Amino acid sequence: MVRILLNGAAGRMGRVVAELASQNPNTLVVAGVDAMAQGQDLGFPLFDSLEACTVQADVLVDFSRPAALKDILPYACEHMMPVVLATTGYTPGDLERIHRAATRIPVFRSANMSMGINLMIDLLKTCAGALGESCDIEIVEAHHRGKADAPSGTALLLADEINSVYQGGKEYTYGRHSKTDKRGPREIGIHAVRGGSVVGEHAVMFLMDNELVEVRHSAQSRSIFAVGALKAAEFIRDKAPGMYSMRELLAEQKEVTKVLAERGVAMVSLHGLSGWKQAVAALDSLAKARISVDMISQNGSELSFSVQSGDRERAVATLRPAFPECQVESAGKLAKLTVQGVGMEGQPGVAARVFGMLMGLGMEPKMVSTSVTEITLLVDEAQEYRATDALAKHFGIA
């Protein structure tokens, strides 16, 4: 069981966290800190400051305000206690202090503890990657009348994640009441609405000519943030010092989340190259012929790459006269399999399991490309369904 020291225990979120922790067999709030909780009975010892706390705990969870950071980090570092920061509105200086503390203790920080918001991020990055510069992006968020910071930390988180797809090339525009010029192509608009008892609404719009794609998340209860914080406390309890977020938490739960297949792929190989410069020249000749290359493998005098089946003959016809001293081979009727998952980054052995399964099915990949979160390979098109089905079932996503 994870023993939690809850900072901001008497606040709205603190009370929700404490209630849900008491219903969870893996977590328990053993003490709370809140200067405004004098004389209140929340079912556990209450202290008006961290320094006054005399109860031992495993993880410190903070649902209070940014100003509390000046007390939280020294206390957590002194007691070598992991900390979950579920508060938004930190300044750049605050963030520097958080990262310094993470060199000594494990720190879990997320602008939004909702599992749904963090899944939404993957959808937004997929949209941004697919639409590129052909769209205008606007973010609208709404919260209750008592929320102090605007825009919300979640809105900024969504903007930052989208902007990462554009290599940081977008600029944020906060409202347009003072704008007198037209919308610029590099803008991400961010707009805040405050009123009523709205828990949290976030909508991201990708606006194109004659089309609108909207991704929306609605928080209908504060309990979703409390559930996320408790999962974070369980996750970070035994971690090494460092910065952690929902990305790592979700990754640890499931290493592979997608198994994709694309048919109509061909492979072309060029044997006998004199070195890397010739390989670059070969790729350049394909580009001039407007032939798109996907996977690339270069090993000494051999260059292999994948193209769409319809470009196979043109690729061979382009390379043979340009490199008469080399042997050009091609293979068609292939399928590209892609195994994806952020959990692959922290789970060793995924690649071995993928290739072991394919070998067990009598399949030999034609080409392989890997990254920390993705494995891509080519197999015979006739084997694609069997391979995809077996991998999906093995990783529990069938």
Side-chain angles (χ1 to χ4, degrees):
M1 177 180 289
V2 181
R3 300 172 300 171
I4 294 173
L5 171 57
L6 182 59
N7 194 56
R12 283 179 295 187
M13 279 307 309
R15 291 175 183 272
V16 177
V17 171
E19 180 181 355
L20 291 182
S22 67
Q23 301 169 12
N24 185 341
N26 299 321
T27 57
L28 180 66
V29 175
V30 294
V33 175
D34 201 311
M36 307 300 293
Q38 296 285 350
Q40 297 187 38
D41 182 8
L42 299 181
F44 45 80
L46 273 171
F47 302 90
D48 58 7
S49 69
L50 285 168
E51 292 77 9
C53 179
T54 57
V55 179
Q56 290 189 340
D58 301 312
V59 178
L60 192 161
V61 174
D62 174 54
F63 259 116
S64 60
R65 61 195 189 284
L69 193 69
K70 62 180 177 59
D71 298 320
I72 292 170
L73 294 181
Y75 179 88
C77 288
E78 180 182 347
H79 293 81
M80 300 304 291
M81 183 181 295
V83 61
V84 175
L85 300 175
T87 302
T88 60
Y90 291 123
T91 67
D94 290 335
L95 296 178
E96 288 183 14
R97 286 186 283 275
I98 290 170
H99 282 273
R100 281 201 302 271
T103 64
R104 299 185 59 191
I105 58 172
V107 177
F108 189 106
R109 175 180 170 266
S110 178
N112 192 299
M113 289 289 172
S114 158
M115 307 292 270
I117 279 287
N118 286 276
L119 293 174
M120 179 185 183
I121 288 171
D122 286 341
L123 296 175
L124 295 177
K125 295 174 78 169
T126 297
C127 289
L131 298 175
E133 300 293 345
S134 67
C135 63
D136 299 320
I137 303 171
E138 298 284 309
I139 300 173
V140 180
E141 55 95 349
H143 284 85
H144 54 87
R145 64 172 67 92
K147 186 170 179 61
D149 56 320
S152 68
T154 300
L156 293 174
L157 170 67
L158 299 179
D160 288 343
E161 293 289 348
I162 293 169
N163 201 12
S164 70
V165 178
Y166 296 95
Q167 309 300 316
K170 296 291 186 180
E171 298 175 349
Y172 302 164
T173 297
Y174 304 100
R176 289 195 168 81
H177 69 281
S178 62
K179 301 276 286 186
T180 58
D181 50 350
K182 293 182 179 179
R183 187 190 200 284
R186 296 178 60 195
E187 290 185 31
I188 294 180
I190 306 176
H191 313 276
V193 177
R194 295 290 176 268
S197 58
V198 179
V199 174
E201 302 273 347
H202 293 86
V204 181
M205 292 174 280
F206 297 86
L207 301 106
M208 299 159 282
D209 293 339
N210 305 311
E211 284 189 278
L212 164 63
V213 175
E214 182 175 0
V215 182
R216 177 182 292 272
H217 178 269
S218 175
Q220 299 177 1
S221 167
R222 289 184 176 84
S223 64
I224 64 172
F225 309 122
V227 168
L230 293 176
K231 286 182 180 293
E234 292 183 61
F235 167 83
I236 203 172
R237 176 184 181 180
D238 298 318
K239 290 293 186 288
M243 288 295 304
Y244 300 89
S245 68
M246 276 293 177
R247 177 183 174 87
E248 287 79 22
L249 189 155
L250 292 171
E252 190 170 275
Q253 291 184 336
K254 178 171 283 190
E255 65 269 67
V256 173
T257 54
K258 293 181 183 177
V259 178
L260 309 173
E262 177 189 347
R263 292 195 168 202
V265 178
M267 183 178 73
V268 178
S269 298
L270 194 58
H271 304 276
L273 293 171
S274 62
W276 179 241
K277 287 186 177 180
Q278 266 202 313
V280 173
L283 295 173
D284 185 57
S285 66
L286 294 168
K288 291 177 179 177
R290 302 189 66 80
I291 298 172
S292 297
V293 173
D294 186 10
M295 299 173 64
I296 301 174
S297 174
Q298 195 269 337
N299 182 18
S301 62
E302 180 178 330
L303 172 70
S304 297
F305 55 89
S306 65
V307 295
Q308 294 298 306
S309 292
D311 289 331
R312 174 187 172 190
E313 292 184 4
R314 284 204 306 128
V316 172
T318 298
L319 293 174
R320 277 183 175 155
F323 299 91
E325 72 282 8
C326 297
Q327 179 182 358
V328 181
E329 297 178 347
S330 68
K333 295 186 177 180
L334 300 176
K336 182 174 79 170
L337 299 185
T338 303
V339 179
Q340 295 178 341
V342 294
M344 293 166 59
E345 187 172 354
Q347 298 288 338
V350 176
R353 289 158 63 187
V354 170
F355 297 129
M357 284 203 64
L358 295 178
M359 287 180 60
L361 294 171
M363 301 179 191
E364 183 176 341
K366 308 296 182 185
M367 185 188 298
V368 176
S369 173
T370 64
S371 70
V372 292
T373 60
E374 185 173 290
I375 301 169
T376 306
L377 48 91
L378 299 182
V379 298
D380 290 334
E381 197 172 70
Q383 299 175 318
E384 173 267 317
Y385 178 80
R386 199 155 58 102
T388 304
D389 186 60
L391 289 169
K393 288 179 179 177
H394 177 76
F395 289 107
I397 55 176

